[in-house]
Amino acid sequence: MPVSSEQESYPVAQFRKTYFEECAELLDALQSNLELLSSGQEDDETLHAIFRSVHSIKGGAGAFGCTDLVAFSHTFESLLDALRDHKIAASQEIKQLLLRASDALADIVNAARLEQQLPPNFAADTSAAMLDALQGAGQAFEVPAGSAAVDTKSLSEQRYRIRFRPHTEMLKKANEPLLLIRQLRKLGVLSTEVDSSSLPALAALDPEAAYLNWTFTLDTAVPRGAVQDVFEFVEDDCDLDIELVEVAAGPVEAAPSDAGGAVATAVAAVSVAQSIRVDVDKVDRLVNLVGELVISQAMLTEQGLSLPADKYPQLIQGIEALAQSARELQESVMAIRAQPVKSVFARMPRIVRELAATLGKEVRIVTSGEMTEIDKTVIEQLNDPLTHMIRNALDHGIEPPAERAAAGKPRQGTIHLSAAQRSGRIVIEVSDDGRGINREKILAKARARGLVPAGANLSDDEVDDLIFLPAFSTADVISNISGRGVGMDVVKRNVQALGGRISVRSRFGQGSSFSLSLPLTLAVVDGMVVSVGGETFIIPLVAIVENLRPQVSEIHPVVGRGHVLALRGEYLPLVYLHRVFSISDAIGDPCRGIVIIVQSENAGRVGIVVDELLGQQQVVVKSLEANYEPVDGISGATILGNGRVALILDVARLHEIDIRGTAGRLPASEDSRNEPAKDMIHAA
């Protein structure tokens, strides 16, 4: 039966996709090891690891016809091999060259993945610098086979005898010997002998078995390593012997690929044994199904509570066991979605290098906690906030080398990027040892823009928070880096959209530290279930400080601001949920209801007035944007065990909504300032 072109191209497309996924991992490993090398860890293992990453990228590139990638990575590989053999010293200039080469390699890989054409002579200066380093050390450079720049006539030719016997396992993995023969023909003049002596009679023939053996004679100008690379992906599933039988006049260098290829193959084998690749869509579907299972389990649990325990002991015991298993299953599935933040952190050193060169500053970045895991949906939205914060630290924080030296600091500034898990959240910190925040300058600019009243007295923390205001900038000159007031306000909005918080600490002349506190996942939340009138809401536990029923003497009216709660010497604004969402039949007196103290991003601690607490519960978050429409003050929804929809509150917005509607407030029945929320509540 003939095979269609789509059927033929599908495996190739899958292999190509897998190759570029592996390239992303290899580039991350390359970047990490180059950072270790730059920090002074110049041992052989680090150099071997760097070499293996580049060699593995090069090996796969040839199979997909990425000639530019093969050529550049071969030059890169040759320089690394000279470093491994200690023929070139790992000087600071060489380390910087390796970092530049790594950046260029990442760009070439990305262009190959997207099938885009790079500008002519892209990274030619980096390639020339690597060649100069090799020639300066007296190292011969071998041009890779298949490169557009190869001129085989100018190189010495040699003859190889290749004995190749494929195993049956090789054919079962869809590796075709004919493709290998075609690759060998591209290297030079090839003659072939086929040994069919093992071929059985037709009746005994197994169509999936391997019976043929080949002996190739190859006259080529490429090194032995390039010949070895042709068989790189099948070496474990064949008998292979490559013998150099004749060498023409002229030196022939041993290719650096041999040792690296064997190690890379072994590493690949271990990787396959330890992990599998699964499409993200499949994982997302699994997460959604488990979420539905948890909702169904909660419904069963609620129904089980109404049954008499003495009549249905086994049923109730089974429901309790189901609840425990469902919780463990949910945690295990969420762990599948978790990824280390290393994938985001790995992009930051390049940003630091390029921007430092533009600004004429000497800066290094130190990372820690890269393996801290967080939900992939959070990771995908971390790149922009971190990039803004790194650029802000470089432009506003780190001083020029001369200024640092005059202040008694090292000429090279340091940016520290770290991640850690704390109390069910991930905390990411970006700190620098720069000039810190000039609060007098910030306050003067804020007053000049009318953002702060002339006579207002602000604390240090309140002054620091001014940098998060829209259109606010302390830059004196507008440039392509900063000065337009777009940056830190974007960071704050993006972080809040993730359900996170951002804070800043600074000491003038010593540096600043920005801290992001983010939820580990956006799919599940531990919340406090509360009732207001006949409605039910969820308040995330991470935002709750404490719950209390205040005394009458602790409640004080404030003109134009409703009421405040006097709590241990502090006055906290009160937010009445029944007013915010126009709910009737609710308890309007906080002394008869419950006040939940929450930590708000914009207003600090705020008291939310509800009727009663219904209990603590882990709930599956459903998006309002995807299923209804955005609702101010609501971050999502969930389905409770009784089958009803409960809305998850956005505590950071509640106080602002309440302030907006306090002055001249209409009666609850006529208040229409949040119609989508009322419609959603009534629908629930």
Side-chain angles (χ1 to χ4, degrees), residues 66-72 74-75 121 124 127 131 141-155 221-222:
C66 305
T67 55
D68 291 342
L69 182 53
V70 171
F72 185 86
H74 184 78
T75 308
N121 298 321
S127 295
L131 290 173
F141 174 68
E142 300 164 345
V143 182
S147 171
V150 171
D151 181 8
T152 56
K153 294 181 180 179
S154 64
L155 299 175
V222 303

Side-chain angles (χ1 to χ4, degrees), residues 288-301 326-327 329-330 617-620 639 641:
N288 291 334
L289 287 173
V290 171
E292 296 299 326
L293 175 64
V294 170
I295 292 172
S296 300
Q297 171 267 316
M299 292 181 179
L300 287 175
T301 300
R327 177 75 180 234
L329 176 61
Q330 187 178 53
Q617 185 175 337
Q618 185 182 63
V619 296
V620 179
I639 301 175

Side-chain angles (χ1 to χ4, degrees), residues 163 178 471 626 642 651 669 671:
R163 297 179 180 86
L178 183 59
N642 58 11
V651 297
S669 60
D671 190 355

Side-chain angles (χ1 to χ4, degrees), residues 97-179:
L97 176 58
L98 295 178
L99 289 170
R100 285 168 47 201
S102 172
D103 294 342
L105 182 64
D107 289 337
I108 298 173
V109 167
N110 190 54
R113 179 179 61 85
L114 300 175
E115 298 183 349
Q116 295 177 345
Q117 289 293 328
L118 288 167
N121 298 321
F122 177 80
D125 55 340
T126 303
S127 295
M130 290 191 291
L131 290 173
D132 289 344
L134 283 167
Q135 293 172 359
Q139 298 299 301
F141 174 68
E142 300 164 345
V143 182
S147 171
V150 171
D151 181 8
T152 56
K153 294 181 180 179
S154 64
L155 299 175
S156 309
E157 285 199 354
Q158 49 250 339
R159 174 169 294 173
Y160 294 99
R161 182 171 289 113
I162 306 164
R163 297 179 180 86
F164 172 59
R165 179 182 179 182
H167 299 164
T168 299
E169 294 300 319
M170 189 190 103
L171 302 182
K172 289 183 177 180
K173 294 179 180 178
N175 289 306
E176 172 58 59
L178 183 59
L179 297 177

Side-chain angles (χ1 to χ4, degrees), residues 40 57 65 74 80 163 178 267 282 286 343 419 443 504 621 673:
I57 291 173
H74 184 78
L80 291 170
R163 297 179 180 86
L178 183 59
V267 171
K282 293 181 179 179
L286 178 60
S343 59
L443 193 56
V504 57
V621 179
R673 68 186 186 284

Side-chain angles (χ1 to χ4, degrees), residues 294-314:
V294 170
I295 292 172
S296 300
Q297 171 267 316
M299 292 181 179
L300 287 175
T301 300
E302 184 156 327
Q303 294 297 321
L305 293 175
S306 63
L307 298 175
D310 56 338
K311 291 185 178 181
Y312 304 96
Q314 293 183 342

Side-chain angles (χ1 to χ4, degrees), residues 311-490:
K311 291 185 178 181
Y312 304 96
Q314 293 183 342
L315 177 59
I316 293 175
Q317 184 179 1
I319 291 176
E320 291 174 351
L322 175 62
Q324 178 66 26
S325 298
R327 177 75 180 234
E328 293 178 0
L329 176 61
Q330 187 178 53
E331 291 176 352
S332 298
V333 171
M334 296 310 301
I336 295 175
R337 284 166 55 106
Q339 296 178 354
V341 295
K342 181 179 180 181
S343 59
V344 180
F345 281 19
R347 306 171 192 172
M348 299 302 126
R350 180 174 184 178
I351 294 174
V352 170
R353 288 196 299 273
E354 294 178 349
L355 191 55
T358 302
L359 296 172
K361 297 180 179 180
E362 298 177 13
V363 187
R364 71 185 183 105
I365 182 170
V366 178
T367 59
S368 61
E370 301 97 325
M371 301 312 295
T372 302
E373 292 188 337
I374 191 171
D375 192 280
K376 76 172 189 66
T377 54
V378 179
I379 282 185
E380 290 168 356
Q381 301 177 62
L382 265 181
N383 188 57
D384 285 347
L386 283 183
T387 299
H388 277 300
M389 293 167 70
I390 292 291
R391 290 170 66 90
N392 186 73
L394 270 162
D395 192 26
H396 298 290
I398 302 296
E399 312 95 327
E403 184 178 332
R404 291 181 61 86
K409 297 182 178 180
R411 290 178 59 86
Q412 185 183 55
T414 301
I415 294 176
H416 190 197
L417 178 61
S418 66
Q421 284 191 20
R422 299 175 190 166
S423 303
R425 296 175 72 85
I426 183 172
V427 178
I428 297 177
E429 292 188 354
V430 179
S431 58
D432 63 75
D433 63 348
R435 57 171 63 95
I437 294 178
N438 188 336
R439 295 187 175 92
E440 294 181 0
K441 182 178 180 181
I442 287 177
L443 193 56
K445 286 217 169 189
R447 284 173 173 161
R449 292 174 177 265
L451 301 174
V452 176
N457 292 320
L458 302 183
S459 66
D460 288 348
D461 291 341
E462 290 172 331
V463 174
D464 292 344
D465 286 340
L466 292 174
I467 65 175
F468 297 109
L469 293 176
F472 183 82
S473 175
T474 58
D476 297 320
V477 179
I478 295 177
S479 67
N480 61 344
I481 298 172
S482 65
R484 300 187 184 275
V486 179
M488 297 309 293
D489 64 316
V490 174

Side-chain angles (χ1 to χ4, degrees), residues 22 25 52 236 262-276:
E22 292 173 348
E25 297 172 1
R52 285 196 298 268
D236 292 339
V263 176
T265 302
V267 171
V270 173
S271 176
V272 170
Q274 292 179 342
S275 63
I276 60 174

